[in-house]
Amino acid sequence: MKHTNFLRPLAVVLGLALGVPAQADTYNITVDKVRIDTGMFKKNGIGYNGSQTPSILHFQEGEDVVIRVKNNLRESTSIHWHGLILPFQQDGVPGISFDGIKPGETFTYRFPIEQAGTYWFHSHSGFQEPDGAYGAIVISPKGGEAVPADRDYVVQFTDKHPHSGARVFRNLKASADYYNRAQRTAQDLIEDAGAEGLKAALQDRKMWGAMRMMPTDIEDVQGFTPLINGASTQQNWTGIFKPGEKVRLRLINSSATTYFDVRVPGLKMTVVQADGNDVKPVAVDELRIAVAETYDVIVQPREAKAYSIIGESAGRTAMVRGTLAPSQGMVGPIYKMRPEPLLTMADMGGMMSGMEHSGMDRAGMDMSGMDHSGMDMSGFDMSGMDHSGHDMSSMEMSGMDQSGTDTGGMDMTSGLPVVPAEGAKGAAFYAPGSGLIPTAANGGKFLGYENLAARKPLYRDRPATREIEIRLTGNMERYIWSIDGVKYEDADPIRLKYGERVRFKFVNETMMAHPMHLHGMWTIIDTGKGPYDPVKHTVSVAPGTTLYTETEVDAPGQWAFHCHLSYHMAGGMFRKVIVEGGPS
């Protein structure tokens, strides 16, 4: 990658603030077909500047950038600057902000850098992003980092699959379980029968089957090789340190579908930034990074040995290891992957109301004798479930043993449980009783949104002008994803007014987590901290939960708003947002 100021990236690596006046730098990016080698398999893909290693753009807050993007592909492309605040015409979404970049053409982006922090960029055309078209952005603040470090590394995760993105999507459309390698087996039934009793185990199977679901439906796509900065575990990306130095790790999740649980065994991670915005430092042992999120953490290795950077998929089907070491060639230890989690009825909370059941036959579904003694449904709220179309006349529930069912907090009148759940200990943004609640491998502290607080308020705290409900909906069996039950191509835009403050009520009626990304404007997560609520560009909405965010509508134009799981976005969980009006 060529640019005119070659001292800037060096200064960033050294953790220095240049303090140079605003200027216009020019950057050149080519979009190329590349051969990707994961060490496990090779495939054709797409890369920037002819490389499978993600490019890093180093900007300075206050500068005006000019970025020339040359398309060397035989198809149109685009680049979206994820998390950057810029004019909508520069946002890089074909059909919304511009027409895209045709084969052989060069498109020039021009915009001011009005923020600092860690961000990333990627194609918004087809499945080019899962095929490799992504990179990182590091913006140095004018006055230097609030929490300085001696070393500074980007740690960019992705989930590289042997199949192309287009082929993965076709296979998911043909069968949503196509990539589920954890199908329940006869051995599982034998083990469940031993633990719960045969009758209860059979009834449990019958219930999941009636919903065309399995408790293992956590990751849409398995069988991928996770990478850090384009390198697999055996290729071993390595960052160098001297014992006692503070090392800043800029974690970015550029995966198509995979959430990663990240830890550096033996070291505390102090979280200092979330989605590019400074937060009050919080020391944790592990964190979960949703697709499209970024976190900056500081670690301080004191021993002259190799430490591992571990990224373990939330579904526990894949793991990647990078290394922090005092010299090249050292290799951090590999750790055994933890057992796969299982979904519970708490994660299915909204599915019965949010999904189409046209093909579902519950006739004869017999739940007699079903024992839920091990099921924790505290806080499980089934209000709002629409059973008008469900024929449950023949569902026999007599004898159903609910003696051990904890329904504390179950609200049958006001919707799915609102998170953060009051009084919940850790992982307060999951439904009570969820099978997805993460825990740290060492039993220590696991980061949750409830632990994040803005270092400084970005906006004046004020009441929202109005509330908009966003229902996240889908049909897993047909692999259709939608908002309010309507796919993107059939939906009207969401219209906002410049200057208002909108409160979004996200109601996740599906059994999947959705990382929702609003382009062009910040998303303030309601964690109960008022002006210190964390400010992000992507917010993960856990299955079967209701979550509130607010947005200051301060960017006129047309913007994209979507789930950042590549195949959910392609499946229809996408909206155009139009901001009407503008500054006088």
Side-chain angles (χ1 to χ4, degrees), residues 23-144:
Q23 57 182 330
D25 276 352
T26 299
Y27 303 81
N28 296 307
I29 297 175
T30 61
V31 188
D32 307 296
K33 284 286 186 186
V34 298
R35 187 70 175 162
I36 294 174
D37 180 1
T38 69
M40 305 293 290
F41 61 85
K42 296 180 181 179
K43 63 176 289 188
N44 293 325
I46 297 173
Y48 292 134
N49 299 313
S51 174
Q52 75 174 58
T53 302
S55 299
I56 304 176
L57 292 172
H58 293 277
F59 298 150
Q60 178 76 34
E61 182 183 8
E63 75 168 301
D64 296 315
V65 297
V66 178
I67 309 172
R68 292 196 294 255
V69 179
K70 172 70 183 301
N71 182 7
N72 291 328
L73 306 178
R74 294 181 179 178
E75 57 188 293
S76 291
T77 190
S78 57
I79 291 185
H80 164 59
W81 316 99
H82 189 107
L84 296 198
I85 302 302
L86 38 62
F88 82 92
Q89 300 92 336
Q90 305 297 308
D91 194 44
V93 180
I96 292 183
S97 47
F98 78 144
D99 294 331
I101 309 171
K102 294 183 172 61
E105 288 188 352
T106 297
F107 184 86
T108 302
Y109 294 86
R110 302 174 189 271
F111 51 86
I113 301 298
E114 300 179 344
Q115 60 204 105
T118 303
Y119 304 92
W120 63 298
F121 62 99
H122 59 85
S123 171
H124 227 291
S125 299
F127 297 103
Q128 292 176 2
E129 179 200 318
D131 287 341
Y134 65 89
I137 299 173
V138 175
I139 306 176
S140 300
K142 286 181 178 177

Side-chain angles (χ1 to χ4, degrees), residues 468-510:
I468 297 176
E469 182 172 293
I470 303 290
R471 292 170 45 238
L472 306 178
T473 49
N475 182 321
M476 185 68 179
E477 189 179 3
R478 295 167 59 193
Y479 207 76
I480 294 173
W481 300 97
S482 53
I483 292 175
D484 296 333
V486 182
K487 292 192 300 179
Y488 173 56
E489 53 265 36
D490 301 323
D492 294 327
I494 297 172
R495 295 183 180 275
L496 307 179
K497 296 187 182 304
Y498 182 86
E500 68 176 340
R501 181 177 177 121
V502 174
R503 185 171 175 83
F504 287 102
K505 177 183 180 182
F506 288 96
V507 183
N508 187 354
E509 298 181 353
T510 78

Side-chain angles (χ1 to χ4, degrees), residues 230-401:
S232 63
T233 295
Q234 71 179 83
Q235 293 167 330
N236 191 38
W237 176 86
T238 300
I240 301 299
F241 69 89
K242 292 180 180 178
E245 286 185 330
K246 292 183 177 179
V247 181
R248 189 184 193 104
L249 303 177
R250 300 177 183 270
L251 310 177
I252 305 172
N253 189 351
S254 302
S255 297
T257 67
T258 305
Y259 284 36
F260 283 101
D261 291 346
V262 181
R263 66 186 192 273
V264 184
L267 299 178
K268 286 280 188 183
M269 300 187 297
T270 300
V271 180
V272 297
Q273 201 177 91
D275 287 4
N277 290 292
D278 288 339
V279 297
K280 295 179 180 178
V282 55
V284 301
D285 295 276
E286 192 166 346
L287 62 82
R288 175 166 291 176
I289 184 168
V291 173
E293 287 185 323
T294 74
Y295 286 103
D296 282 21
V297 302
I298 306 286
V299 297
Q300 190 170 19
R302 297 185 182 279
E303 298 180 54
K305 68 175 189 179
Y307 294 84
S308 297
I309 301 173
I310 299 294
E312 192 175 7
S313 80
R316 306 289 184 257
T317 64
M319 175 187 283
V320 61
R321 186 278 328 277
T323 297
L324 285 176
S327 62
Q328 287 289 350
M330 299 181 72
V331 179
I334 295 178
Y335 294 82
K336 183 180 180 182
M337 200 145 51
R338 288 168 284 182
E340 296 178 9
L342 296 176
L343 296 172
T344 69
M345 283 300 119
D347 300 305
M348 307 294 288
M351 183 180 171
M352 301 289 281
S353 63
M355 295 184 69
E356 297 175 18
H357 296 283
S358 55
M360 184 179 292
D361 177 12
R362 285 196 173 78
M365 184 175 176
D366 181 3
M367 299 176 75
S368 61
M370 189 172 173
D371 181 359
H372 294 281
S373 57
M375 185 180 296
D376 179 7
M377 301 178 74
S378 57
F380 185 20
D381 178 359
M382 300 174 71
S383 63
M385 290 177 67
D386 179 7
H387 295 285
S388 57
H390 296 173
D391 179 7
M392 304 174 82
S393 58
S394 59
M395 181 182 286
E396 173 56 60
M397 299 178 73
S398 61
M400 185 172 173
D401 178 8

